[in-house]
Protein backbone atom coordinates (compact mmCIF):
# COMPACT_ATOMS: atom_id res chain seq x y z
CA UNK A 1 0.00 0.00 0.00
CA UNK A 2 1.37 3.36 -0.97
CA UNK A 3 1.94 5.68 1.97
CA UNK A 4 0.43 9.15 1.68
CA UNK A 5 3.00 11.90 2.05
CA UNK A 6 2.23 15.03 4.06
CA UNK A 7 3.64 18.13 2.45
CA UNK A 8 5.88 20.50 4.41
CA UNK A 9 3.34 23.26 3.88
CA UNK A 10 0.51 21.20 5.39
CA UNK A 11 2.71 20.10 8.28
CA UNK A 12 3.66 23.69 9.01
CA UNK A 13 0.05 24.77 8.83
CA UNK A 14 -0.85 22.02 11.32
CA UNK A 15 1.93 22.71 13.83
CA UNK A 16 2.08 26.52 13.67
CA UNK A 17 -1.12 27.20 15.68
CA UNK A 18 0.16 25.01 18.51
CA UNK A 19 3.53 26.71 18.43
CA UNK A 20 1.79 30.08 18.56
CA UNK A 21 -0.33 29.03 21.54
CA UNK A 22 2.75 27.70 23.31
CA UNK A 23 4.76 30.82 22.56
CA UNK A 24 1.88 33.06 23.61
CA UNK A 25 1.58 31.17 26.89
CA UNK A 26 5.31 31.52 27.50
CA UNK A 27 5.17 35.25 26.80
CA UNK A 28 2.17 35.66 29.10
CA UNK A 29 4.04 33.83 31.85
CA UNK A 30 7.13 35.96 31.27
CA UNK A 31 5.03 39.12 31.53
CA UNK A 32 3.06 37.99 34.57
CA UNK A 33 3.29 40.90 37.01
CA UNK A 34 5.10 40.47 40.29
CA UNK A 35 2.77 40.33 43.27
CA UNK A 36 3.03 42.82 46.12
CA UNK A 37 1.09 42.74 49.39
CA UNK A 38 0.13 46.25 50.47
CA UNK A 39 -1.47 46.85 53.86
CA UNK A 40 -3.77 49.73 54.70
CA UNK A 41 -4.55 50.41 58.33
CA UNK A 42 -7.89 52.25 58.20
CA UNK A 43 -10.89 52.29 55.88
CA UNK A 44 -11.03 56.05 55.43
CA UNK A 45 -11.01 58.52 52.56
CA UNK A 46 -7.22 58.66 52.90
CA UNK A 47 -7.07 55.36 51.00
CA UNK A 48 -8.93 56.67 47.95
CA UNK A 49 -5.90 56.45 45.59
CA UNK A 50 -5.47 52.76 46.48
CA UNK A 51 -9.08 52.04 45.58
CA UNK A 52 -8.95 54.16 42.42
CA UNK A 53 -5.83 52.28 41.30
CA UNK A 54 -7.56 48.93 41.83
CA UNK A 55 -10.76 50.01 40.07
CA UNK A 56 -8.86 51.47 37.10
CA UNK A 57 -6.32 48.59 36.93
CA UNK A 58 -3.47 51.07 37.27
CA UNK A 59 -1.23 48.73 39.25
CA UNK A 60 -1.52 46.14 36.48
CA UNK A 61 -0.88 48.86 33.91
CA UNK A 62 2.47 49.54 35.56
CA UNK A 63 3.35 45.86 35.89
CA UNK A 64 2.56 44.84 39.46
CA UNK A 65 -0.18 42.70 41.00
CA UNK A 66 -1.11 44.56 44.20
CA UNK A 67 -3.08 42.76 46.88
CA UNK A 68 -4.65 45.20 49.32
CA UNK A 69 -4.85 43.85 52.87
CA UNK A 70 -6.43 45.48 55.93
CA UNK A 71 -4.27 45.27 59.09
CA UNK A 72 -4.58 47.23 62.32
CA UNK A 73 -2.05 50.06 62.62
CA UNK A 74 0.92 49.89 64.96
CA UNK A 75 2.54 46.65 66.10
CA UNK A 76 0.42 44.28 63.93
CA UNK A 77 1.20 46.03 60.64
CA UNK A 78 4.87 46.58 61.45
CA UNK A 79 5.19 42.93 62.51
CA UNK A 80 3.64 41.93 59.17
CA UNK A 81 6.28 44.02 57.37
CA UNK A 82 9.15 42.47 59.32
CA UNK A 83 7.85 38.93 58.80
CA UNK A 84 7.53 39.48 55.04
CA UNK A 85 3.77 38.87 54.96
CA UNK A 86 3.36 42.47 53.78
CA UNK A 87 5.75 44.38 51.51
CA UNK A 88 4.38 47.92 51.88
CA UNK A 89 2.27 49.27 54.74
CA UNK A 90 0.50 52.49 55.67
CA UNK A 91 1.83 53.17 59.16
CA UNK A 92 2.45 56.61 60.68
CA UNK A 93 6.06 57.67 60.21
CA UNK A 94 6.47 58.10 63.99
CA UNK A 95 5.55 54.46 64.65
CA UNK A 96 7.92 53.23 61.93
CA UNK A 97 10.71 55.38 63.33
CA UNK A 98 10.28 53.93 66.84
CA UNK A 99 10.40 50.38 65.47
CA UNK A 100 13.49 51.17 63.38
CA UNK A 101 15.25 52.79 66.35
CA UNK A 102 14.69 49.56 68.26
CA UNK A 103 16.24 47.41 65.56
CA UNK A 104 13.48 46.61 63.04
CA UNK A 105 14.64 46.91 59.38
CA UNK A 106 11.70 49.18 58.52
CA UNK A 107 11.87 52.50 56.68
CA UNK A 108 9.53 55.33 55.63
CA UNK A 109 9.31 55.54 51.82
CA UNK A 110 6.43 57.96 51.14
CA UNK A 111 3.35 59.71 52.49
CA UNK A 112 -0.36 60.04 51.84
CA UNK A 113 -0.11 63.78 52.55
CA UNK A 114 -0.93 66.22 55.32
CA UNK A 115 -3.50 65.41 57.99
CA UNK A 116 -6.66 67.51 58.31
CA UNK A 117 -6.85 67.15 62.10
CA UNK A 118 -8.60 69.65 64.35
CA UNK A 119 -8.73 69.65 68.13
CA UNK A 120 -12.41 69.16 69.02
CA UNK A 121 -14.10 69.25 72.40
CA UNK A 122 -17.32 68.25 74.12
CA UNK A 123 -20.15 70.78 73.54
CA UNK A 124 -19.72 72.01 77.12
CA UNK A 125 -16.16 73.21 76.36
CA UNK A 126 -15.77 76.26 74.15
CA UNK A 127 -12.08 77.24 74.44
CA UNK A 128 -8.60 75.88 75.00
CA UNK A 129 -8.46 77.43 78.45
CA UNK A 130 -11.55 75.49 79.48
CA UNK A 131 -9.61 72.29 78.81
CA UNK A 132 -7.29 72.89 81.76
CA UNK A 133 -7.65 70.03 84.20
CA UNK A 134 -9.44 67.94 81.57
CA UNK A 135 -8.58 64.82 79.55
CA UNK A 136 -7.70 64.67 75.85
CA UNK A 137 -8.04 61.33 74.05
CA UNK A 138 -5.04 60.10 72.10
CA UNK A 139 -4.40 56.76 70.40
CA UNK A 140 -1.31 55.17 71.94
CA UNK A 141 2.02 56.55 73.18
CA UNK A 142 4.29 57.19 70.21
CA UNK A 143 1.51 57.16 67.62
CA UNK A 144 1.22 59.97 65.09
CA UNK A 145 -1.81 61.64 66.73
CA UNK A 146 -0.22 61.43 70.17
CA UNK A 147 3.02 62.97 68.94
CA UNK A 148 0.97 65.73 67.30
CA UNK A 149 -0.88 66.42 70.56
CA UNK A 150 2.37 66.72 72.50
CA UNK A 151 3.78 69.13 69.92
CA UNK A 152 0.61 71.15 69.45
CA UNK A 153 -1.03 71.55 72.88
CA UNK A 154 1.78 73.76 74.28
CA UNK A 155 1.15 76.13 71.34
CA UNK A 156 -2.32 76.86 72.77
CA UNK A 157 -1.16 77.12 76.37
CA UNK A 158 -1.77 73.53 77.49
CA UNK A 159 1.13 71.50 78.85
CA UNK A 160 0.53 67.73 78.52
CA UNK A 161 0.76 66.00 81.88
CA UNK A 162 0.34 69.31 83.71
CA UNK A 163 -2.61 71.24 82.30
CA UNK A 164 -4.24 68.30 80.54
CA UNK A 165 -3.99 64.52 80.71
CA UNK A 166 -3.59 62.55 77.48
CA UNK A 167 -5.52 59.29 77.59
CA UNK A 168 -4.30 56.43 75.34
CA UNK A 169 -7.52 54.94 73.97
CA UNK A 170 -6.09 52.57 71.36
CA UNK A 171 -8.69 53.96 68.95
CA UNK A 172 -7.16 55.09 65.65
CA UNK A 173 -10.45 56.15 63.96
CA UNK A 174 -11.32 59.70 64.96
CA UNK A 175 -15.07 59.18 64.48
CA UNK A 176 -14.97 56.53 67.21
CA UNK A 177 -12.97 58.85 69.47
CA UNK A 178 -15.61 61.55 68.94
CA UNK A 179 -18.28 59.07 70.02
CA UNK A 180 -16.33 58.31 73.18
CA UNK A 181 -15.99 62.03 73.87
CA UNK A 182 -19.73 62.60 73.50
CA UNK A 183 -20.34 59.69 75.87
CA UNK A 184 -18.32 61.54 78.50
CA UNK A 185 -15.29 59.24 78.52
CA UNK A 186 -12.95 62.24 77.96
CA UNK A 187 -13.25 65.89 77.06
CA UNK A 188 -11.46 66.44 73.76
CA UNK A 189 -9.63 64.66 70.94
CA UNK A 190 -8.13 65.14 67.49
CA UNK A 191 -10.63 64.61 64.67
CA UNK A 192 -10.38 64.61 60.89
CA UNK A 193 -12.32 67.32 59.11
CA UNK A 194 -14.66 64.90 57.34
CA UNK A 195 -15.62 63.36 60.71
CA UNK A 196 -16.41 66.86 61.97
CA UNK A 197 -18.61 67.41 58.93
CA UNK A 198 -20.33 64.07 59.61
CA UNK A 199 -21.20 65.18 63.14
CA UNK A 200 -22.66 68.41 61.79
CA UNK A 201 -24.78 66.52 59.26
CA UNK A 202 -26.12 64.34 62.07
CA UNK A 203 -27.04 67.47 64.01
CA UNK A 204 -24.54 66.61 66.74
CA UNK A 205 -22.78 69.68 68.14
CA UNK A 206 -19.07 69.52 68.91
CA UNK A 207 -16.74 72.47 69.33
CA UNK A 208 -13.69 72.94 67.12
CA UNK A 209 -11.03 74.41 69.40
CA UNK A 210 -8.06 74.83 67.07
CA UNK A 211 -6.33 73.76 63.86
CA UNK A 212 -2.73 72.59 64.47
CA UNK A 213 -1.69 73.69 60.97
CA UNK A 214 -2.57 77.30 61.83
CA UNK A 215 0.04 77.10 64.60
CA UNK A 216 2.70 75.72 62.27
CA UNK A 217 2.38 72.15 63.53
CA UNK A 218 2.25 69.72 60.62
CA UNK A 219 1.80 65.98 60.53
CA UNK A 220 1.02 63.41 57.89
CA UNK A 221 -2.34 61.71 57.69
CA UNK A 222 -0.56 58.40 57.02
CA UNK A 223 2.73 57.24 55.52
CA UNK A 224 4.13 54.44 53.39
CA UNK A 225 6.62 52.10 55.00
CA UNK A 226 8.53 49.04 53.90
CA UNK A 227 11.67 47.15 54.91
CA UNK A 228 15.12 47.95 53.61
CA UNK A 229 15.49 44.43 52.11
CA UNK A 230 12.21 44.81 50.18
CA UNK A 231 13.22 48.24 48.87
CA UNK A 232 16.48 46.72 47.65
CA UNK A 233 15.34 43.31 46.39
CA UNK A 234 11.85 44.14 45.07
CA UNK A 235 12.62 47.63 43.86
CA UNK A 236 10.89 47.40 40.44
CA UNK A 237 7.66 46.15 42.02
CA UNK A 238 7.60 48.85 44.70
CA UNK A 239 8.31 51.52 42.07
CA UNK A 240 5.48 50.14 39.96
CA UNK A 241 3.21 50.35 43.00
CA UNK A 242 4.11 54.02 43.44
CA UNK A 243 3.44 54.69 39.75
CA UNK A 244 -0.05 53.22 40.08
CA UNK A 245 -0.78 55.03 43.35
CA UNK A 246 0.45 58.41 42.09
CA UNK A 247 -1.46 58.15 38.82
CA UNK A 248 -4.58 57.21 40.79
CA UNK A 249 -4.19 60.25 43.06
CA UNK A 250 -3.74 62.44 39.97
CA UNK A 251 -6.84 60.97 38.31
CA UNK A 252 -8.87 61.41 41.48
CA UNK A 253 -7.85 65.06 41.70
CA UNK A 254 -8.71 65.70 38.04
CA UNK A 255 -11.97 63.75 38.01
CA UNK A 256 -14.24 64.70 40.91
CA UNK A 257 -16.96 62.28 39.80
CA UNK A 258 -14.50 59.38 39.83
CA UNK A 259 -13.52 60.32 43.38
CA UNK A 260 -17.17 60.54 44.43
CA UNK A 261 -17.88 57.14 42.90
CA UNK A 262 -15.03 55.61 44.91
CA UNK A 263 -16.21 57.23 48.15
CA UNK A 264 -19.74 55.99 47.53
CA UNK A 265 -18.60 52.44 46.83
CA UNK A 266 -15.99 51.93 49.53
CA UNK A 267 -17.21 54.25 52.29
CA UNK A 268 -20.98 54.19 51.61
CA UNK A 269 -21.11 58.00 51.59
CA UNK A 270 -23.92 59.76 49.72
CA UNK A 271 -24.22 63.24 51.24
CA UNK A 272 -22.86 65.86 48.75
CA UNK A 273 -21.32 67.99 51.48
CA UNK A 274 -19.41 65.06 52.95
CA UNK A 275 -18.31 63.88 49.51
CA UNK A 276 -16.99 67.36 48.77
CA UNK A 277 -15.15 67.49 52.11
CA UNK A 278 -13.49 64.14 51.48
CA UNK A 279 -12.49 65.17 47.98
CA UNK A 280 -10.89 68.43 49.13
CA UNK A 281 -9.09 66.93 52.12
CA UNK A 282 -7.80 63.69 50.61
CA UNK A 283 -7.41 64.34 46.89
CA UNK A 284 -7.04 68.12 46.85
CA UNK A 285 -4.07 70.45 46.93
CA UNK A 286 -2.96 69.48 50.46
CA UNK A 287 -2.09 66.06 49.08
CA UNK A 288 0.99 66.47 46.89
CA UNK A 289 1.42 64.76 43.54
CA UNK A 290 4.94 63.88 44.68
CA UNK A 291 4.41 61.91 47.91
CA UNK A 292 7.81 62.51 49.47
CA UNK A 293 7.94 61.81 53.22
CA UNK A 294 7.35 64.88 55.41
CA UNK A 295 10.85 65.18 56.84
CA UNK A 296 10.19 68.31 58.91
CA UNK A 297 7.17 66.76 60.62
CA UNK A 298 9.08 63.59 61.41
CA UNK A 299 12.03 65.58 62.78
CA UNK A 300 9.62 67.32 65.17
CA UNK A 301 8.17 63.96 66.25
CA UNK A 302 11.67 62.56 66.84
CA UNK A 303 12.58 65.56 69.00
CA UNK A 304 9.53 64.94 71.21
CA UNK A 305 9.86 61.14 71.30
CA UNK A 306 13.58 61.18 72.12
CA UNK A 307 12.92 63.27 75.23
CA UNK A 308 10.12 61.14 76.62
CA UNK A 309 9.38 57.69 75.25
CA UNK A 310 12.22 56.51 73.03
CA UNK A 311 15.75 57.26 74.27
CA UNK A 312 17.09 55.28 71.28
CA UNK A 313 16.12 58.27 69.13
CA UNK A 314 18.48 60.72 70.84
CA UNK A 315 20.84 62.25 68.31
CA UNK A 316 18.80 60.89 65.38
CA UNK A 317 17.05 62.76 62.58
CA UNK A 318 14.32 61.95 60.08
CA UNK A 319 16.94 61.31 57.41
CA UNK A 320 18.06 58.23 59.36
CA UNK A 321 14.63 56.61 58.88
CA UNK A 322 13.59 57.77 55.41
CA UNK A 323 14.41 56.30 52.01
CA UNK A 324 12.96 58.53 49.30
CA UNK A 325 15.16 57.05 46.57
CA UNK A 326 12.25 55.34 44.79
CA UNK A 327 10.41 58.63 44.41
CA UNK A 328 13.59 60.44 43.35
CA UNK A 329 14.10 57.82 40.64
CA UNK A 330 10.56 58.40 39.39
CA UNK A 331 11.22 62.13 39.33
CA UNK A 332 14.51 61.65 37.45
CA UNK A 333 12.62 59.51 34.92
CA UNK A 334 10.21 62.48 34.41
CA UNK A 335 7.26 60.39 35.59
CA UNK A 336 5.63 63.33 37.42
CA UNK A 337 6.24 65.73 34.54
CA UNK A 338 4.68 63.38 31.98
CA UNK A 339 1.68 62.85 34.25
CA UNK A 340 1.09 66.59 34.69
CA UNK A 341 1.37 67.16 30.92
CA UNK A 342 -1.38 64.67 30.06
Amino acid sequence: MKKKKISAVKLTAFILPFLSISAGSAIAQAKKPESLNVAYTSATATRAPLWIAKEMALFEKHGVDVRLIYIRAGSPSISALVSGDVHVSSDPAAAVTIAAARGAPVVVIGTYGLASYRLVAHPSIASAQQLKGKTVAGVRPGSGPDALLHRFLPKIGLAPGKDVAILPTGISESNRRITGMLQGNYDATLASWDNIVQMDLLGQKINVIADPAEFGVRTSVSDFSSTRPVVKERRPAVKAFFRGFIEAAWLGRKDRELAFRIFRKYLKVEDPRLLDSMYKNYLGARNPLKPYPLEDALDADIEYLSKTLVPELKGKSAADFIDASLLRELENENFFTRLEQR
Side-chain angles (χ1 to χ4, degrees), residues 15-243:
I15 293 174
L16 188 58
F18 293 96
L19 289 174
S20 299
I21 292 169
S22 177
S25 177
I27 292 169
Q29 284 186 340
K31 289 185 177 180
K32 185 177 180 181
E34 185 176 353
S35 64
L36 204 69
N37 293 338
V38 175
Y40 62 101
T41 53
S42 63
T44 63
T46 309
R47 315 304 173 194
L50 294 177
W51 297 326
I52 291 171
K54 288 301 284 185
E55 291 287 318
M56 305 296 288
L58 296 177
F59 294 131
E60 291 83 355
K61 170 185 173 180
H62 292 289
V64 63
D65 175 19
V66 170
R67 299 168 185 167
L68 297 179
I69 303 167
Y70 175 79
I71 301 179
R72 190 163 59 86
S75 297
S77 55
I78 290 175
S79 295
L81 272 179
V82 174
S83 70
D85 292 333
V86 162
H87 306 111
V88 176
S89 189
S90 305
D91 293 287
V96 176
T97 297
I98 293 171
R102 291 173 175 168
V106 290
V107 64
V108 179
I109 59 173
T111 187
Y112 282 85
L114 287 169
S116 62
Y117 286 132
R118 307 291 193 276
L119 180 67
V120 299
H122 190 274
S124 62
I125 296 171
S127 69
Q129 290 306 303
Q130 289 180 350
L131 279 173
K132 285 195 173 181
K134 304 294 186 181
T135 300
V136 179
V139 178
R140 64 183 65 83
S143 67
D146 282 48
L148 177 62
L149 282 172
H150 280 274
R151 293 195 286 121
F152 164 62
L153 289 174
K155 300 278 189 181
I156 57 174
L158 298 172
K162 180 182 177 182
D163 298 318
V164 291
I166 296 181
L167 176 68
T169 63
I171 301 172
S172 59
E173 299 89 350
S174 71
N175 61 326
R176 291 178 56 207
R177 291 198 305 272
I178 292 173
T179 299
M181 179 184 75
L182 293 173
Q183 291 171 345
N185 298 331
Y186 34 82
D187 305 289
T189 191
L190 288 173
S192 64
W193 184 251
D194 51 296
N195 286 157
I196 295 169
V197 172
Q198 282 178 313
M199 290 295 108
D200 187 49
L201 292 173
L202 292 171
Q204 178 61 63
K205 178 176 172 55
I206 58 174
N207 286 328
V208 178
I209 303 299
D211 178 355
E214 291 181 357
F215 292 82
V217 183
R218 305 195 324 153
T219 194
S220 60
V221 65
S222 187
D223 300 283
F224 289 111
S225 56
S226 187
T227 64
R228 293 189 185 276
V230 165
V231 172
K232 180 181 178 181
E233 297 162 12
R234 307 194 68 173
R235 197 170 190 84
V238 181
K239 275 181 69 176
F241 162 75
F242 267 131
R243 287 191 189 98

